[in-house]
Amino acid sequence: MNLPLDRLAVPIREDCGTMSALVADDLLFPAEATARGVARALYASVKELPIVSPHGHTDPRWYALDEPFPDPAQLLIVPDHYVFRMLFSQGVPLEDLGVPARDGSHVETDGRTIWRRFAENFHLFRGTPTRLWFDYVLSGVFGIDEPLNAATADRSYDAIAALLQTEAYRPRALFKRFNIEVIATPEGALDDLRYHRQIRDSGWDGRVVTAYRPDSVVDPDFEGFLDNLDRLGEITGCDTGTWAGYLEAHRQRRAYFREFGATSSDHGHATADTANLSSAAAAELFNRIRAGSDDERERRLFRAQMLTEMAKMSLDDGLVLQIHPGAWRNHSPAALQKFGRDKGFDIPTRTDYVAALKPLLDCVGTERDLTVIAFTLDESSYARELAPLAGVYPALRLGPAWWFHDSPEGMRRFREMTTETAGFYNTVGFNDDTRAFPSIPARHDLARRVDCAFLARLVTEHRLREDEAYELAQELAYSLAKRAYRL
């Protein structure tokens, strides 16, 4: 039952943007007084900057239709693999959390029941970034200052459910309230971008752009790959049975995505392998792949060649190339079969970059008009490989601490391990990479706090002038991402 706002048991603060008992004013700032004072001042200079979100996974349908979010559980729990992977690890079935099953079998659909189950187990997130994000969302977005647990579950559920029925909590209103300047939503190569068209045609002034994610027609191990190539040919009118026609189909799709604001492409390969075959060798490889080759070496080589092909296309059309390697995706075949992709079973793996990226860098690495942003889930590669590579190749930039390392400690380690070799200006600021829309301001705020704390340390150690720290705080919070992604 949704209660009127004036009858809610949980106190709702009128100014939901201020910090509260759940989120301390000095969160993540140094304990030492002098450094803490510098961090506070730096943070005050950037905390109100607009949010540039160049790579996330929010649904463009939200902004196109601007409908109320269904209920607190569907908004905050069911789509968030950070949440349900932890609960599953402690014995809570995905079915009990409302995660849809591919076979249509029964899963919990009552939002209140799912919320209660989450609240009862909220203690499992102590010390995790999910706890920080969620406390921020409760306090900063919904104005709830009461800690979440089994006893408070119903009160918080009623409070959030009531707010979600108001105009102020619809997607477009929250987009404005969060001070989002631009957000990118990667779509697959076969997507018709209908919701981006609807956003554009609506006249709304919120800036939501797409990004080209061609994994389904680049990765031979992607489910339905050969059928996807046929569909790519149908959409573009190109002969995707030939290497030349296949490449032309990509060019057409990239151009189509650019019509809807795309400034980047995104590639989620398991490795960072690249290749630079001759045209004849590449065509011969494509023919074998198109015929359904089950040779893992050939399939891996094809993925590697396509990263270089995408980089060469980027030289022509200006799309920034993002490489997101290093995840063994869908590690559990049982979970993949029952629930599909992106259900928390993606696990980081060791990743080579020096040898893997060399063919691509030999081809385009010294191009000043190209931007290749490399991410990693292998922190051991930061200082040894990625920072030295980005510290010399003009085309290469380092993506921020990502996914499993999108945490206070992960972001600190990233700065500590990359800055001495790559500096700040060979990195690209922060991106939130989230499906959880209300957590976007939380993630950006935490990143700004971590970066300001890091800069404060450099200032108090006399390694950086204070005026330089203020400039860098602005760059890390806003400008670097905007420039790197050409937004």
Side-chain angles (χ1 to χ4, degrees):
M1 177 177 68
N2 293 333
L3 300 177
L5 294 185
D6 60 359
R7 293 182 56 199
L8 294 174
V10 174
I12 302 294
R13 288 177 288 107
E14 292 184 2
D15 179 6
C16 295
T18 60
M19 295 296 99
S20 71
L22 294 182
V23 184
D25 289 337
D26 285 337
L27 178 67
L28 303 179
F29 291 163
E32 192 276 319
T34 302
R36 184 169 65 247
V38 176
R40 284 173 176 168
L42 291 172
Y43 171 70
S45 74
V46 299
K47 67 178 182 179
E48 301 296 339
L49 286 176
I51 287 174
V52 174
S53 180
H55 175 83
H57 295 279
T58 60
D59 190 341
R61 181 179 183 275
W62 298 338
Y63 315 115
L65 302 182
D66 199 33
E67 297 173 336
F69 290 106
D71 65 56
Q74 291 295 328
L75 174 62
L76 297 171
I77 299 172
V78 176
D80 193 345
H81 59 73
Y82 286 96
V83 168
F84 55 69
R85 75 187 307 272
M86 175 65 81
L87 298 179
F88 187 82
S89 77
Q90 288 286 309
V92 181
L94 295 183
E95 294 92 334
D96 290 355
L97 298 170
V99 178
R102 299 174 73 184
D103 61 4
S105 59
H106 174 75
V107 302
E108 184 59 67
T109 57
D110 181 68
R112 185 181 297 277
T113 299
I114 296 169
W115 186 265
R116 285 173 176 169
R117 191 164 287 126
F118 171 63
E120 291 165 1
N121 290 281
F122 193 55
H123 63 279
L124 298 175
F125 296 94
R126 289 169 179 166
T128 70
T130 300
R131 167 64 180 271
L132 291 177
W133 299 330
F134 215 89
D135 279 350
Y136 192 112
V137 169
L138 289 176
S139 176
V141 177
F142 295 106
I144 297 172
D145 286 344
E146 192 174 37
L148 182 64
N149 52 47
T152 65
D154 280 353
R155 290 198 296 273
S156 60
Y157 184 90
D158 287 332
I160 296 171
L163 290 171
L164 292 181
Q165 297 306 307
T166 67
E167 291 289 335
Y169 281 81
R170 292 199 177 190
R172 292 185 180 185
L174 288 176
F175 187 99
K176 296 294 187 181
R177 176 176 158 190
F178 294 163
N179 198 20
I180 297 173
E181 181 175 309
V182 56
I183 193 167
T185 68
E187 273 76 49
L190 305 180
D191 197 292
D192 61 11
L193 304 183
R194 68 180 65 183
Y195 294 118
H196 283 276
R197 182 182 299 277
Q198 193 166 341
I199 293 168
R200 185 182 66 182
D201 293 348
S202 73
W204 180 54
D205 62 353
R207 189 178 177 196
V208 180
V209 303
T210 187
Y212 187 59
R213 179 84 180 220
D215 292 357
S216 67
V217 291
V218 163
D219 180 1
D221 291 333
F222 201 97
E223 183 179 357
F225 173 72
L226 295 178
D227 290 338
N228 293 340
L229 294 188
D230 292 338
R231 178 63 181 146
L232 179 64
E234 293 171 3
I235 291 172
T236 61
C238 298
D239 182 4
T240 54
T242 69
W243 175 238
Y246 171 69
L247 293 182
E248 179 58 29
H250 277 291
R251 294 188 188 97
Q252 288 196 22
R253 293 307 287 166
R254 290 165 66 99
Y256 181 72
F257 274 60
R258 289 181 65 208
E259 291 179 18
F260 293 91
T263 66
S264 66
S265 67
D266 180 35
H267 308 270
H269 298 188
T271 73
D273 289 351
T274 62
N276 190 21
L277 303 175
S278 68
S279 296
E284 183 179 346
L285 174 63
F286 175 77
N287 291 337
R288 294 196 295 272
I289 294 297
R290 194 66 171 95
S293 171
D294 59 1
D295 186 327
E296 176 53 35
R297 292 170 300 177
E298 291 184 346
R299 298 162 80 87
R300 183 168 178 165
L301 180 60
F302 183 75
R303 288 190 291 267
Q305 179 64 25
M306 286 310 299
L307 280 181
T308 304
E309 295 294 340
M310 292 290 114
K312 290 190 288 187
M313 289 184 192
S314 289
L315 277 175
D316 295 330
D317 63 23
L319 292 187
V320 173
L321 176 72
Q322 299 178 90
I323 304 176
H324 281 86
W328 184 324
R329 296 177 186 267
N330 310 300
H331 193 268
S332 167
L336 175 63
Q337 181 177 358
K338 183 161 188 180
F339 297 102
R341 293 173 170 268
D342 304 319
K343 297 301 181 289
F345 285 91
D346 299 337
I347 309 297
T349 61
R350 287 174 292 182
T351 307
D352 166 77
Y353 291 89
V354 174
L357 291 178
K358 191 174 190 307
L360 183 148
L361 294 174
D362 286 348
C363 181
V364 298
T366 59
E367 297 286 346
R368 291 178 293 178
D369 294 332
L370 173 67
T371 299
V372 177
I373 302 176
F375 291 77
T376 190
L377 292 177
D378 181 1
E379 289 187 311
S380 69
S381 67
Y382 282 155
R384 185 185 65 245
E385 300 183 33
L386 284 170
L389 285 168
V392 68
Y393 280 98
L396 190 62
R397 296 289 182 268
L398 300 186
W402 163 58
W403 201 345
F404 289 89
H405 309 307
D406 180 10
S407 63
E409 286 77 13
M411 289 185 278
R412 289 188 190 110
R413 289 192 296 267
F414 175 81
R415 292 290 174 214
E416 290 168 352
M417 297 172 71
T418 63
T419 301
E420 289 183 341
T421 304
F424 291 104
Y425 292 91
N426 285 317
T427 65
V428 299
F430 177 73
N431 66 58
D432 47 77
D433 191 47
T434 184
R435 292 174 172 81
F437 181 45
S439 77
I440 288 177
R443 291 168 188 250
H444 283 264
D445 185 74
L446 294 176
R448 292 172 184 186
R449 289 171 174 271
V450 170
D451 281 337
C452 288
F454 181 74
L455 294 172
R457 194 188 89 191
L458 297 185
V459 170
T460 56
E461 293 176 356
H462 306 289
R463 298 164 61 189
L464 192 69
R465 295 197 313 269
E466 196 162 336
D467 63 310
E468 293 175 313
Y470 279 97
E471 290 180 9
L472 281 167
Q474 297 269 334
E475 293 277 15
L476 297 175
Y478 176 75
S479 303
L480 284 178
K482 191 169 183 178
R483 287 202 304 275
Y485 283 89
R486 303 178 183 184
L487 290 167

